[in-house]
Amino acid sequence: MKTEIIIRNLRIHGYHGLKEAEKALGQIFEVDITCDMHTDVPPRDVMEDTVCYGEICDLVASVSETEVFNLIETLAERIAAAIFANFPPIQKIRVEIRKPRAPIRHIVNHVGIAIERERHG
């Protein structure tokens, strides 16, 4: 059986980017996360049978607050690695990061990236 943990539009603050203003002022990033858990038994209606989405949100915010990255691709990789390290039931993850106020001269709603990773071993 597969269960998805879904987090949409988590807003985190960080100092990520290539431009000096991004590193000095910081900005808001929007994050979507989908985590796949697989189990052989149906859930028993207890927290031990799942992963707390609030704890995932706390972890994502912590990753963004404790390191500075030039690329949001690297931020997404670190988020995925941290989730795998802290939540063994998660087997697959998709992380999407959007920059709603990217410092580009074009009018866009947002720019961003997405990665998908699977646990190995």
Side-chain angles (χ1 to χ4, degrees), residues 51 55-56 59 63 78-90 119:
V51 170
E55 291 178 10
I56 294 173
L59 182 61
V63 169
R78 295 291 166 78
I79 288 170
I83 291 172
F84 281 141
N86 286 276
F87 302 102
I90 294 174
R119 184 183 297 276

Side-chain angles (χ1 to χ4, degrees), residues 13-16 59-69 75:
H13 188 267
Y15 296 90
H16 318 298
L59 182 61
V60 171
S62 176
V63 169
S64 182
E65 292 166 0
T66 56
E67 291 190 67
V68 174
F69 305 104
L75 174 60

Side-chain angles (χ1 to χ4, degrees), residues 48-117:
E48 292 80 24
D49 290 348
T50 191
V51 170
C52 177
Y53 43 79
E55 291 178 10
I56 294 173
C57 292
D58 291 343
L59 182 61
V60 171
S62 176
V63 169
S64 182
E65 292 166 0
T66 56
E67 291 190 67
V68 174
F69 305 104
N70 290 325
L71 303 176
I72 57 175
E73 290 88 343
T74 308
L75 174 60
E77 290 288 348
R78 295 291 166 78
I79 288 170
I83 291 172
F84 281 141
N86 286 276
F87 302 102
I90 294 174
Q91 298 302 309
K92 184 177 178 182
I93 186 167
R94 176 181 167 85
V95 178
E96 180 177 326
I97 301 177
R98 293 179 302 281
K99 293 173 79 169
R101 293 181 183 83
I104 60 176
R105 63 184 182 99
H106 302 281
I107 299 170
V108 297
N109 187 37
H110 63 264
V111 297
I113 59 93
I115 66 165
E116 289 187 20
R117 301 293 180 263

